[in-house]
Amino acid sequence: MKNFFSKNIKDSLKEFDVTTNGLTNKKARELLESVGENVLNERKKKSTLSVFIDQFKDLLVIILIIAAVISMATGNIESTIVILAVITINSILGTVQYIKAEQSLASLKSLTSPNAKVIREGIKVEIPSKSVVPGDILILEAGDLVVADGRILENFSLKVNESSLTGESESVDKISYVIDKDEVALGDQKNMVFSSSLVTYGRATVLVTNTGMNTELGKIATLMEETQEKSTPLQASLDAFSKKLALAIIGICILVFGLSLYRGTNVLDSLMFAVALAVAAIPEALSSIVTIVLAIGTQSMAKENAIIKKLKAVEGLGCVSVICSDKTGTLTQNKMTVKKIFVDNKLVNANEIDLKNPIAHFLLTSSILCNDSTSIDGNEIGDPTEVALVNLGHDYSISEIDCRKNHSRLSEIPFDSDRKLMSTLHKIDGKSTMITKGALDVLLDRVTSIKTIHGLKRFTNEDKTHINNINKKLSSQGLRVLAFAYKELNENKNIDLEDENGFTFLGLISMIDPPREESKSAVTDCLKASIKPVMITGDHKITASAIAKEIGILQEDDLAVEGLELDKMSDNELFSKLEHISVYARVSPEHKIRIVKAWQNKGKIVAMTGDGVNDAPALKQADIGIAMGITGTEVSKDAASMILTDDNFATIVKSVTNGRNIYANIKNSIKFLLSGNMSGILAVLYSSLFALPVPFAAVHLLFINLLTDSLPAIAIGMEKSKKDVLRDKPRDANESILSQDFIKDVCIQGLLIGIFTMISYHIGLTKGSDGLAMTMAFSTLCLARLFHGFNCRGRKSIFSLGVFNNTFSWIAFIVGVILVNAVLLIPGLQGLFEITPLATSELLSVHLFAFLPTLIIQIFKVIRDIVESKKEKIEIENDNESKVQAA
Ligand code: ATP
């Protein structure tokens, strides 16, 4: 094995026959073919067959198999065939659902795979991490994920968190010089970086030495078990509920079994019936319906630019009551364009800079040198603030490539959003010159002189006031202002934080970053949905307030608070003012945690956005941590539970709407399952208690279970997202899905269906045989449950929801009705399903009795809709009236 840590840079590069200009595209392609993609072998996926076999490990399936054996023993071959068919179809459905859910989660994962910055043919390009090959020159910056192993060539204060490999949670400082040893532990190979580490500070160029399975991570990958996602809180609580319910149902089944024996039915038949009842009544689909609906939901959310990383975030989204959002890029477009420049005591427009003025020329050069971005042929790479500066240079025919070649960077202190400054060291006119750019308020306190056309001048209080006034003027127009200063050093050295003072002021460059068009309406939606939008930004208070006012976040009585003011506030003070503070400006990432915690102490569920490397703790602390897909660092994406692929605030609001809808869909599916099962149990209990003949044969119960527990329940889960939900308040996170209203609905609706099933049953009894009664009860219950699917689509009547808005529910219904009628009408199937042929009038009455519960429920819903919309109208009128009176 080659130990690159003990090799010098020249030899290392030679090993791959490459220079610091990187590989040629041709060579990179060839290497990719010979070495393979830079990916880890996926944990072996379960084969379809093993997923299918797994379905048989379910307790209910085992019960069914026992039932099949019992029927065989009782000589009831037809029943055995039906039960086996039920088991097989159920298992196929289970397999399909499992694979679909897996596929949708896997496709979400592939959407979040990172990019890498490499130098190819001398130019910095961004490529998918899987295309990185050994020999590539990788550029690492704070916030990046290291995507391959490599030897550090150039190191600018690089700090890397290698906890995923070494377990060490502290970031380690890296070096670029040779480690002259034969053997060095991984954690001490300080001139190397390893795949899966996160860059927390600084910058480096790295020669890729190993990719894919050859990396240190690849070597241990076989030992790593992919972290399985724990079940979501809802799944956990439903699992617990299902277990309790199953116990209660088994109790009922034992009672039914006892009564059946008491009435003289033989043991095996009684047992068979009790088993079938258990299978039909136990809502085994509850937890899996949550997974399916969540998986379907996350798929449609991904199409709307929100990638869910943790399934439980979908549930949480429905409870969000505060959204703390960054300004730049999330509420604004992040398309920065330089507007005004203050240089040599003059404020000019971006197109009016006089390059003959040496200070103006120096300012422009500085803005390109103290800058990591490039903009070549419209291909912009880097921070938009910096890209705007590069583009300004282009407007004056200054190329960043030439400029940086002429004054190469000798040392640097990278930008970080805590310090709000960035410094670089260059040789300019033979002098070691440190250029610093950053937030005016931070920089101005460190300025001691000012550059004028007549030479350096002492920086006075008047100068300071004047520049601050210019800053205020620019900021109040919503412009972001960057200040520039420089300092000559006696020697070339590695600059550090202590050097960032004693500056000479150069000028200001301000840029516009217009709000996104959708931000305003998204903020209005938030307010309507009783969600508080809060802007948290590193930008200046006046700039932030101007934008916040424009989009409606900062309203009349609201406050804008600066990081420094926040520091002075006690927790109690913050607690009492919290609801009024809509803008936090000049904050650093630590403030974000304090703000999240303060809201959480008020019992609120907080969504918080973040993009920087230091945002990770706040993203983890927030209930829903949201990272930016375009501008966000890999570190922030790693910490988040959701990623916005368009970095857009409006997408968060859309996701909250989706979160609320998905939760409602899950609740409705569960209501459908529970109320349907309830009607079956009530019918059986009724007949058992009143010593009537059993209303269903075992195969009937199995058929109902198969037909209604799958398709219609999933169709309800696929109900489209409705903006209506934004009228409600956020859901209480502690509220159980089985609220009083929910249980009431389940009981009433289950009872209604049960009653009509029994009416049908009694008609059958009085008209003819036990067999006729059984057929009528079975078909009524089955059809009624299919109709009931429409009732469970939402709280409102089907007319308010849109009769044809959910195609899937119609498909589930029509398929179901066809199958029931097939069983009722086709002679071959009649025998198999213990059906007594029905006369036309009986067939019609069965359909009618099945429809009546739905008719009653819908009439009730229509009346409730009318009353509620009237109430809403009156409320709006009263509201308007009181607004007019107040005005
Ligand atoms: P948000 O937190 O809303 O995304 P932001 O981008 O304004 O906002 P930061 O990136 O932390 O927040 O920037 C804070 C301040 O630091 C800016 O207002 C600006 O003055 C300064 N700044 C931003 N980018 C740079 C940079 N690349 N170099 C130097 N200073 C910068």
Side-chain angles (χ1 to χ4, degrees):
M1 195 191 107
K2 298 160 199 149
N3 282 335
F4 282 95
F5 57 81
S6 59
K7 268 195 176 46
N8 66 30
I9 289 170
K10 212 170 121 206
D11 290 346
S12 304
L13 286 168
K14 216 159 142 202
E15 189 84 38
F16 293 95
D17 191 20
V18 66
T19 69
T20 46
N21 271 341
L23 298 169
T24 59
N25 288 331
K26 185 169 167 274
K27 189 154 178 211
R29 253 196 318 273
E30 284 165 9
L31 277 166
L32 190 62
E33 276 204 358
S34 63
V35 184
E37 290 195 329
N38 177 32
V39 287
L40 295 180
N41 293 347
E42 289 268 313
R43 182 172 55 103
K44 260 202 134 185
K45 275 211 200 101
K46 271 191 191 169
S47 68
T48 309
L49 183 67
S50 70
V51 175
F52 182 71
I53 291 170
D54 277 355
Q55 308 294 317
F56 291 87
K57 292 181 187 152
D58 193 88
L59 179 68
L60 281 177
V61 177
I62 295 170
I63 296 178
L64 273 178
I65 293 173
I66 297 170
V69 175
I70 298 171
S71 338
M72 187 101 104
T74 52
N76 196 344
I77 302 296
E78 281 145 358
S79 251
T80 314
I81 295 170
V82 173
I83 296 171
L84 291 180
V86 166
I87 296 173
T88 316
I89 296 172
N90 237 338
S91 304
I92 292 173
L93 280 178
T95 310
V96 172
Q97 285 166 5
Y98 178 93
I99 290 175
K100 276 251 162 233
E102 278 263 296
Q103 275 171 350
S104 74
L105 295 177
S107 71
L108 285 184
K109 225 178 177 184
S110 68
L111 288 178
T112 58
S113 77
N115 280 345
K117 286 167 282 199
V118 293
I119 299 181
R120 294 247 174 110
E121 314 228 348
I123 296 174
K124 178 169 159 186
V125 285
E126 226 172 284
I127 57 169
S129 67
K130 63 175 187 222
S131 309
V132 171
V133 290
D136 256 328
I137 306 291
L138 192 65
I139 296 176
L140 293 178
E141 282 166 320
D144 287 350
L145 174 77
V146 182
V147 298
D149 290 359
R151 166 79 163 87
I152 297 174
L153 305 177
E154 275 182 305
N155 172 36
F156 300 100
S157 322
L158 189 76
K159 283 189 189 178
V160 175
N161 186 313
E162 296 177 338
S163 58
S164 55
L165 271 181
T166 59
E168 170 61 54
S169 61
E170 288 282 305
S171 294
V172 278
D173 287 295
K174 290 288 175 179
I175 55 173
S176 58
Y177 47 84
V178 175
I179 300 175
D180 198 8
K181 285 186 189 158
D182 287 340
E183 250 175 70
V184 178
L186 213 60
D188 293 328
Q189 296 182 16
K190 299 225 163 152
N191 55 7
M192 300 285 294
V193 287
F194 301 103
S195 182
S196 84
S197 316
L198 294 163
V199 181
T200 54
Y201 188 79
R203 201 167 67 90
T205 50
V206 169
L207 167 71
V208 174
T209 52
N210 277 313
T211 57
M213 288 308 284
N214 296 327
T215 60
E216 294 298 330
L217 179 73
K219 285 180 202 153
I220 58 164
T222 41
L223 305 176
M224 287 199 319
E225 249 312 293
E226 203 159 293
T227 41
Q228 282 275 331
E229 182 152 13
K230 281 193 295 211
S231 43
T232 70
L234 183 58
Q235 282 171 323
S237 77
L238 282 175
D239 277 341
F241 168 74
S242 295
K243 275 192 193 122
K244 278 190 213 146
L245 194 63
L247 280 181
I249 290 169
I250 288 171
I252 293 175
C253 291
I254 293 172
L255 178 74
V256 169
F257 175 67
L259 286 173
S260 167
L261 281 185
Y262 174 73
R263 286 208 310 274
T265 318
N266 74 49
V267 180
L268 284 182
D269 280 348
S270 307
L271 191 62
M272 177 69 202
F273 185 73
V275 165
L277 180 61
V279 173
I282 293 174
E284 76 279 10
L286 284 195
S287 181
S288 64
I289 219 64
V290 177
T291 316
I292 295 161
V293 178
L294 285 178
I296 297 169
T298 51
Q299 277 287 303
S300 64
M301 284 172 81
K303 282 190 202 120
E304 294 188 348
N305 301 321
I307 297 173
I308 297 294
K309 280 183 60 204
K310 295 177 185 143
L311 268 189
K312 74 171 196 236
V314 185
E315 287 168 22
L317 274 169
C319 309
V320 164
S321 43
V322 183
I323 303 177
C324 297
S325 171
D326 283 335
K327 171 181 73 69
T328 313
T330 315
L331 289 160
T332 64
Q333 297 178 10
N334 214 6
K335 284 204 190 100
M336 309 258 183
T337 321
V338 175
K339 278 279 156 187
K340 295 235 153 105
I341 289 124
F342 176 70
V343 64
D344 193 20
N345 215 16
K346 283 188 275 300
L347 188 62
V348 293
N349 288 326
N351 56 356
E352 293 169 354
I353 306 173
D354 174 13
L355 276 199
K356 281 193 218 101
N357 180 327
I359 310 177
H361 193 279
F362 187 29
L363 176 65
L364 244 60
T365 314
S366 304
S367 73
I368 290 166
L369 291 176
C370 184
N371 187 324
D372 289 326
S373 300
T374 53
S375 169
I376 298 167
D377 300 331
N379 184 17
E380 300 178 337
I381 301 184
D383 176 2
T385 305
E386 295 191 342
V387 171
L389 300 172
V390 172
N391 285 338
L392 177 69
H394 290 182
D395 291 345
Y396 288 89
S397 307
I398 303 175
S399 134
E400 70 269 31
I401 298 181
D402 297 342
C403 188
R404 290 172 192 166
K405 215 181 257 169
N406 294 340
H407 308 286
S408 59
R409 192 181 289 184
L410 305 170
S411 174
E412 69 183 70
I413 318 173
F415 170 74
D416 82 73
S417 41
D418 273 320
R419 204 169 99 258
K420 300 182 175 53
L421 295 179
M422 167 175 179
S423 299
T424 54
L425 184 73
H426 311 263
K427 196 76 140 199
I428 299 176
D429 296 336
K431 290 181 197 131
S432 302
T433 310
M434 171 169 138
I435 301 167
T436 301
K437 78 173 191 306
L440 178 77
D441 26 345
V442 183
L443 197 62
L444 222 49
D445 289 337
R446 304 162 188 227
V447 166
T448 50
S449 60
I450 185 163
K451 191 170 174 77
T452 73
I453 207 85
H454 309 293
L456 293 195
K457 203 184 90 161
R458 200 171 61 82
F459 191 64
T460 61
N461 275 340
E462 287 80 59
D463 291 327
K464 193 169 179 177
T465 315
H466 181 53
I467 293 171
N468 270 328
N469 283 341
I470 300 278
N471 178 45
K472 247 187 226 161
K473 184 174 162 187
L474 296 172
S475 303
S476 59
Q477 294 164 28
L479 295 175
R480 150 184 280 230
V481 184
L482 273 187
F484 286 81
Y486 75 100
K487 175 179 177 177
E488 283 170 6
L489 301 179
N490 296 331
E491 45 163 354
N492 285 344
K493 57 174 260 191
N494 272 337
I495 49 174
D496 57 37
L497 296 181
E498 309 224 316
D499 292 307
E500 284 185 331
N501 56 47
F503 288 120
T504 300
F505 181 79
L506 251 182
L508 305 177
I509 299 185
S510 69
M511 44 193 89
I512 188 153
D513 177 20
R516 286 175 181 271
E517 266 169 33
E518 325 79 298
S519 290
K520 200 168 178 177
S521 60
V523 167
T524 315
D525 282 345
C526 269
L527 297 171
K528 204 162 59 184
S530 309
I531 297 169
K532 166 108 183 152
V534 178
M535 178 192 279
I536 303 187
T537 175
D539 221 337
H540 196 281
K541 182 163 151 180
I542 305 177
T543 312
S545 302
I547 306 262
K549 250 189 216 147
E550 193 178 335
I551 55 181
I553 286 189
L554 189 67
Q555 305 220 329
E556 213 153 283
D557 294 325
D558 289 351
L559 298 173
V561 167
E562 269 191 8
L564 280 179
E565 297 170 70
L566 191 59
D567 285 335
K568 285 186 200 134
M569 260 185 222
S570 68
D571 283 344
N572 281 344
E573 205 183 336
L574 177 62
F575 192 82
S576 65
K577 286 189 177 158
L578 197 62
E579 262 136 32
H580 295 287
I581 308 177
S582 296
V583 175
Y584 296 87
R586 281 284 185 254
V587 289
S588 50
E590 291 92 86
H591 291 120
K592 284 188 164 182
I593 302 188
R594 188 161 173 223
I595 298 163
V596 174
K597 282 190 178 158
W599 276 110
Q600 285 173 333
N601 284 341
K602 277 197 185 271
K604 303 289 184 187
I605 301 295
V606 189
M608 155 86 69
T609 68
D611 49 11
V613 58
N614 300 338
D615 285 335
L619 290 177
K620 280 195 179 138
Q621 174 69 36
D623 300 278
I624 313 280
I626 306 171
M628 300 296 133
I630 305 172
T631 54
T633 54
E634 292 303 328
V635 177
S636 61
K637 288 180 199 168
D638 190 62
S641 45
M642 177 174 146
I643 298 175
L644 303 182
T645 53
D646 60 354
D647 289 13
N648 192 341
F649 178 77
T651 305
I652 308 177
V653 182
K654 243 191 262 165
S655 307
V656 170
T657 316
N658 282 328
R660 288 186 180 190
N661 270 308
I662 291 171
Y663 188 84
N665 287 351
I666 291 175
K667 202 166 170 175
N668 291 333
S669 298
I670 293 174
K671 188 186 280 184
F672 170 77
L673 291 173
L674 291 183
S675 51
N677 286 6
M678 174 128 186
S679 52
I681 302 176
L682 287 177
V684 172
L685 265 184
Y686 168 83
S687 62
S688 294
L689 292 175
F690 290 97
L692 297 166
V694 284
F696 313 110
V699 285
H700 295 157
L701 293 172
L702 298 177
F703 182 81
I704 293 172
N705 185 52
L706 181 68
L707 199 65
T708 54
D709 271 11
S710 52
L711 274 188
I714 297 174
I716 293 167
M718 291 177 87
E719 187 75 17
K720 283 201 198 94
S721 204
K722 287 173 280 294
K723 241 183 147 187
D724 272 17
V725 287
L726 286 181
R727 266 191 237 139
D728 302 332
K729 286 207 160 65
R731 192 181 85 240
D732 178 353
N734 296 322
E735 171 202 296
S736 157
I737 199 164
L738 307 160
S739 61
Q740 263 187 5
D741 277 349
F742 179 88
I743 294 172
K744 202 172 75 194
D745 277 358
V746 168
C747 291
I748 292 175
Q749 294 171 6
L751 188 65
L752 255 182
I753 298 174
I755 288 173
F756 281 94
T757 304
M758 282 302 92
I759 292 175
S760 202
Y761 166 77
H762 275 290
I763 290 175
L765 270 187
T766 48
K767 264 187 143 182
S769 63
D770 291 359
L772 180 67
M774 213 191 244
T775 301
M776 288 187 72
F778 153 67
S779 43
T780 307
L781 177 62
C782 203
L783 289 165
R785 287 184 65 170
L786 290 172
F787 276 115
H788 188 46
F790 292 110
N791 298 326
C792 295
R793 277 183 49 203
R795 185 173 182 276
K796 294 193 164 178
S797 75
I798 187 168
F799 306 104
S800 303
L801 295 172
V803 179
F804 298 106
N805 266 1
N806 185 341
T807 324
F808 302 103
S809 73
W810 277 102
I811 294 174
F813 175 74
I814 292 167
V815 168
V817 171
I818 292 174
L819 288 177
V820 176
N821 280 289
V823 167
L824 291 178
L825 300 173
I826 298 173
L829 292 178
Q830 285 172 345
L832 211 55
F833 285 92
E834 299 182 31
I835 295 294
T836 303
L838 299 178
T840 312
S841 63
E842 287 154 359
L843 194 66
L844 284 177
S845 63
V846 158
H847 282 79
L848 178 70
F849 286 125
F851 175 61
L852 283 177
T854 296
L855 182 69
I856 294 170
I857 294 169
Q858 286 300 322
I859 290 174
F860 168 77
K861 286 189 178 213
V862 168
I863 295 171
R864 187 170 62 187
D865 286 354
I866 295 171
V867 173
E868 283 181 356
S869 80
K870 266 198 186 143
K871 239 194 233 165
E872 213 172 284
K873 243 188 222 158
I874 293 171
E875 263 168 33
I876 294 171
E877 273 167 19
N878 285 348
D879 216 32
N880 288 345
E881 234 167 70
S882 56
K883 269 186 198 155
V884 172
Q885 273 172 7

